[in-house]
Amino acid sequence: MKKIKKSNFEKMVNSLLQSGSTIIAPVLKKGKHYFSRIESFDKISLDYCQTVLSPKAVYFPSTDSLMRYENEHNNVKIIEVEVPKNPVIVLGVKPCDAYALSYLSEFFLKENSDTYIQVRKENTTIVGFTCTHSDDKCFCTSLNINPFDTKGTDIHFTDIGEEYYVESITEKGNEIIKNFNTMFEDSQTIDKKEYSSNPPIKFDLEKIRLTDKFESSVWLDQSLLCLGCGACAYSCPTCSCFDIQDESNPYSGERLRCWDSCGFGLFTLHASGHNPRHDQSNRWRNRVFHKFEYSVKNLGIISCVGCGRCIRVCPGGMNISEHLAELATI
Amino acid sequence: MTVLARVSELLDSQQINLFIGYTQKGSICPLFLKESDQVDKLIFNEDCLQNLVPYLNKHEVQSFGKIGIFCTFSALRSLLQLKSEKRFSNLSIIPFLVISDDEFVEFGSYEEIESYIEKNFKKGDDNVQEMIDKINLMSTEEKWEFWTNELTGCIKCYACRSACPMCYCDKCSVEINNPQWVPTASHSQGNLEWHVMRAMHLAGRCVNCNECFRACPMDIPLNLLTSKINADMEVAFGQIPGTKLKLDYAMSCYKFDDKDNFIR
Ligand code: SF4
Ligand code: SF4
Ligand code: SF4
Ligand code: SF4
């Protein structure tokens, strides 16, 4: 284990910026935190509970160009899109979000590797941070995620006062320590719990059994508050649905991958006009089933990390943590 | 009688099958009551700002048939505007405007809503007006820069649309995909087209409830667009949305005595 003085951490970040790395970190804008590209260390604001949007756009941007094409007298030419290969460092990623990024890479890379996301992942270093601020909407601990876990990070920092306690998790993490070896000192193992937030457990995950609840009336009752937008899915660090759109004119075009949400009625609307998820209760049920049933079946991972973003952004006051607590009792 | 007692009475006597109000759970959120046993969870205070009327546009909610609902003043205006647009013909709605625990107005008809609004009319939020005044003073370039800046944040989650009482189309223009009129992508052109289109579709229909702004996760003040257009329409046509039961809508009603020649 290592440690680094905060003043050296600042020097390290500035030197990474100077060497041409793109650094994405939480930045404070009009009272809220967002992951944004930073040009200098002083823009970083690590003193945050949760960013409005998750860092998933680093792998999976809201609008992603997949290819372009040109048409000259019916001669169609495909132009491949080069995903930039410059090094990207995402700094200040909380354990919930790092966990979610590791889920996203499983999802996009496990069976049919998605090259766009593959290239981004290869060139991205995730710098995790032990969580120090939680609020009443956080529930990572209810999902067996600790606010100091390192899963999904390449290197993990814990604020211990004047210094950060540092754990290198992957080869990319080792590389950082090697490149700045004069700044890192050896450290004894510490109990990170003492330095982390501690959101209370809100429900017993073991008690949530969805398989036989598909036809339950609970979905309608819970979803009455839901207005059917995309705010929860777009802010969610694990939601991965997308819509392929061709934007074209007779001479050229571009194929885009845009975020989509199962909360929208259009999401499952058939060309015939039939909609198998005809009301919001079906859509809400899908959201919960996807995260707690289908992704467990498909990948062996629950695809909710308890970050609470969907609760914070919901215009209708939907609260997945309360809804899960209710599901644990029926 | 307190408002809670009255809501219980309506639910118990099945004069309504559903009551939509507010409750406090960490933060304030809507509460849907089917029976009177949880009526004491209802709250009403100055922080209960969400316009609940958009829920009446959901068909699951409509299937309750007879519905009571807490309304803020602008929610009441949205109800009247929606009625004037021939919505809710198969619904029986009992709106409540709560002033304090035992002072409230229960409306028995849309005519009563109309006259209440006329007597108690207050223009929207002062902060909104202040912002509009500020933008009015900007040059065209500054306005362009202001809106380009604000709109780049839009992620096209359509929470503004979902939370707006007046956005009730079964198929929103952005969902018409053959051809795709408005780009789905949240790039700058897509965002601009979406917001210009939405503002135009709400021109003279927006009731200044500011719900779109409250709903937006990215804090984009898009209520300024519709409020500004409303103000202009008031000057040009003397119309204020959500104040009249009879639809008299400049953007769609033909008049023989129109000021402009081109339309005649
Ligand atoms: S749960 Fe909330 S954020 Fe999600 S679709 Fe429903 S209203 Fe929108
Ligand atoms: S479903 Fe909600 S709490 Fe769970 S990961 Fe997504 S945004 Fe976070
Ligand atoms: S546009 Fe905004 S302010 Fe106007 S009625 Fe809709 S939600 Fe309310
Ligand atoms: S709610 Fe905000 S971010 Fe979402 S579509 Fe509307 S303006 Fe864009």
Side-chain angles (χ1 to χ4, degrees):
Chain A
M1 299 307 136
K2 299 275 174 193
K3 57 186 182 179
I4 185 171
K5 284 203 183 67
K6 285 190 174 166
S7 53
N8 278 334
F9 176 71
E10 177 173 346
K11 281 187 201 136
M12 179 184 91
V13 171
N14 282 327
S15 138
L16 284 165
L17 278 170
Q18 271 154 24
S19 66
S21 290
T22 297
I23 300 190
I24 293 169
V27 169
L28 188 64
K29 283 183 205 155
K30 291 195 214 157
K32 290 186 184 169
H33 283 87
Y34 298 86
F35 277 102
S36 304
R37 186 174 175 169
I38 53 144
E39 308 296 343
S40 65
F41 181 85
D42 54 343
K43 288 281 177 305
I44 306 176
S45 170
L46 289 170
D47 196 16
Y48 78 105
C49 170
Q50 201 60 276
T51 52
V52 177
L53 302 181
S54 81
K56 77 174 166 191
V58 173
Y59 289 172
F60 173 42
S62 62
T63 301
D64 199 3
S65 175
L66 302 183
M67 63 164 192
R68 285 184 290 118
Y69 43 94
E70 273 168 13
N71 179 14
E72 218 175 293
H73 312 297
N74 284 337
N75 234 334
V76 180
K77 199 167 81 194
I78 306 277
I79 304 157
E80 279 189 41
V81 168
E82 279 279 330
V83 183
K85 291 204 170 73
N86 69 312
V88 175
I89 296 168
V90 195
L91 199 144
V93 180
K94 293 208 178 195
C96 50
D97 283 344
Y99 198 99
L101 287 170
S102 79
Y103 164 79
L104 275 187
S105 24
E106 279 287 290
F107 175 82
F108 280 111
L109 306 177
K110 195 170 183 184
E111 274 163 16
N112 300 304
S113 189
D114 181 308
T115 43
Y116 305 87
I117 288 170
Q118 176 82 48
V119 171
R120 292 196 187 102
K121 185 177 156 63
E122 274 164 15
N123 293 296
T124 303
T125 305
I126 306 295
V127 182
F129 270 72
T130 290
C131 173
T132 50
H133 290 65
S134 62
D135 69 7
D136 59 342
K137 286 148 188 112
C138 293
F139 62 102
C140 58
T141 46
S142 311
L143 302 173
N144 300 327
I145 298 171
N146 292 309
F148 45 81
D149 282 350
T150 58
K151 190 180 166 74
T153 67
D154 293 301
I155 183 166
H156 185 95
F157 288 70
T158 302
D159 187 343
I160 53 170
E162 300 297 303
E163 296 165 313
Y164 289 113
Y165 173 73
V166 185
E167 297 158 276
S168 173
I169 311 299
T170 65
E171 217 22 71
K172 285 182 196 161
N174 294 344
E175 195 73 5
I176 291 186
I177 293 186
K178 207 175 84 201
N179 292 345
F180 296 93
N181 60 350
T182 53
M183 298 185 182
F184 289 95
E185 300 158 45
D186 286 333
S187 163
Q188 289 182 324
T189 309
I190 61 155
D191 183 6
K192 287 184 285 178
K193 219 179 187 151
E194 282 173 29
Y195 302 93
S196 92
S197 66
N198 187 18
I201 292 180
K202 304 225 166 132
F203 50 83
D204 183 354
L205 184 59
E206 293 297 310
K207 293 220 171 78
I208 299 178
R209 297 261 178 271
L210 294 180
T211 319
D212 58 346
K213 295 200 180 69
F214 198 77
E215 301 295 347
S216 164
S217 62
V218 73
W219 309 112
L220 177 63
D221 288 341
Q222 293 188 342
S223 69
L224 280 173
L225 272 74
C226 172
L227 290 158
C229 65
C232 50
Y234 291 5
S235 64
C236 176
T238 61
C239 275
S240 51
C241 285
F242 55 80
D243 180 17
I244 300 289
Q245 287 279 330
D246 277 4
E247 290 187 354
S248 57
N249 58 46
Y251 313 105
S252 65
E254 189 170 20
R255 178 157 298 174
L256 301 172
R257 161 163 62 190
C258 308
W259 284 353
D260 204 350
S261 165
C262 64
F264 294 139
L266 190 69
F267 190 76
T268 46
L269 183 65
H270 294 181
S272 66
H274 171 67
N275 196 339
R277 290 188 204 139
H278 49 82
D279 64 22
Q280 213 52 41
S281 69
N282 309 141
R283 298 170 201 142
W284 168 243
R285 174 179 64 194
N286 178 71
R287 185 168 175 81
V288 177
F289 263 74
H290 183 170
K291 296 194 175 295
F292 291 87
E293 184 88 352
Y294 308 145
S295 72
V296 177
K297 278 193 183 136
N298 294 337
L299 296 164
I301 319 173
I302 288 177
S303 53
C304 168
V305 296
C307 69
R309 284 192 180 85
C310 54
I311 309 172
R312 293 182 199 92
V313 298
C314 179
M318 289 281 280
N319 186 319
I320 194 172
S321 136
E322 280 174 14
H323 288 143
L324 290 166
E326 184 183 9
L327 288 163
T329 64
I330 57 173
Chain B
M1 191 186 246
T2 66
V3 65
L4 298 194
R6 179 62 185 149
V7 172
S8 294
E9 188 178 76
L10 288 172
L11 282 166
D12 289 340
S13 60
Q14 288 173 3
Q15 284 169 272
I16 55 172
N17 302 320
L18 179 72
F19 189 83
I20 311 176
Y22 305 94
T23 194
Q24 174 104 41
K25 294 197 264 181
S27 39
I28 289 168
C29 62
L31 179 68
F32 287 69
L33 289 176
K34 290 187 245 175
E35 274 153 49
S36 61
D37 56 344
Q38 299 202 17
V39 93
D40 55 343
K41 291 206 175 136
L42 281 175
I43 59 150
F44 196 92
N45 58 42
E46 63 276 14
D47 297 325
C48 297
L49 291 169
Q50 185 183 345
N51 184 347
L52 301 173
V53 168
Y55 285 114
L56 299 173
N57 288 321
K58 277 179 76 174
H59 64 88
E60 298 99 302
V61 173
Q62 290 184 357
S63 66
F64 284 90
K66 296 180 284 183
I67 305 166
I69 186 167
F70 274 170
C71 284
T72 57
F73 186 76
S74 53
L76 216 52
R77 282 179 62 196
S78 60
L79 207 53
L80 195 66
Q81 180 68 20
L82 285 163
K83 189 64 190 172
S84 78
E85 295 183 11
K86 310 279 182 288
R87 300 282 294 168
F88 307 148
S89 54
N90 52 354
L91 279 187
S92 138
I93 301 165
I94 305 185
F96 283 82
L97 190 122
V98 186
I99 296 152
S100 68
D101 277 350
D102 40 24
E103 202 190 344
F104 63 93
V105 191
E106 177 185 336
F107 297 92
S109 69
Y110 285 98
E111 285 75 16
E112 278 178 39
I113 300 180
E114 189 180 31
S115 64
Y116 183 89
I117 290 173
E118 197 190 333
K119 275 192 217 102
N120 297 284
F121 191 80
K122 46 180 184 278
K123 273 265 164 68
D125 201 316
D126 289 344
N127 297 333
V128 173
Q129 196 48 51
E130 222 170 85
M131 269 313 286
I132 293 179
D133 292 344
K134 218 165 108 187
I135 298 172
N136 277 341
L137 294 175
M138 293 181 184
S139 66
T140 310
E141 291 73 30
E142 285 166 338
K143 284 179 188 157
W144 178 254
E145 201 191 310
F146 175 84
W147 284 111
T148 320
N149 263 337
E150 290 289 349
L151 298 184
T152 43
C154 175
I155 52 171
K156 287 269 187 85
C157 68
Y158 302 133
C160 47
R161 178 185 71 184
S162 301
C164 172
M166 306 315 300
C167 276
Y168 56 72
C169 297
D170 283 336
K171 201 161 187 178
C172 174
S173 302
V174 297
E175 288 171 349
I176 295 172
N177 52 8
N178 194 14
Q180 185 80 46
W181 287 113
V182 180
T184 294
S186 57
H187 47 42
S188 51
Q189 185 202 348
N191 288 352
L192 187 68
E193 285 184 25
W194 154 235
H195 286 289
V196 169
M197 185 210 73
R198 185 171 180 279
M200 289 314 290
H201 288 184
L202 285 151
R205 298 176 60 240
C206 164
V207 296
N208 307 96
C209 66
N210 302 328
E211 201 48 51
C212 47
F213 174 49
R214 263 195 296 281
C216 177
M218 306 305 284
D219 296 339
I220 300 168
L222 60 166
N223 54 335
L224 299 179
L225 290 173
T226 45
S227 296
K228 163 70 178 146
I229 298 177
N230 268 1
D232 290 353
M233 287 195 55
E234 191 186 338
V235 173
F237 305 101
Q239 296 178 348
I240 304 173
T243 56
K244 293 277 179 308
L245 186 49
K246 189 181 167 302
L247 187 70
D248 177 28
Y249 179 36
M251 300 294 272
S252 69
C253 296
Y254 174 75
K255 280 196 181 149
F256 286 104
D257 56 350
D258 200 287
K259 285 194 287 198
D260 272 327
N261 285 328
F262 78 94
I263 207 156
R264 270 186 260 153

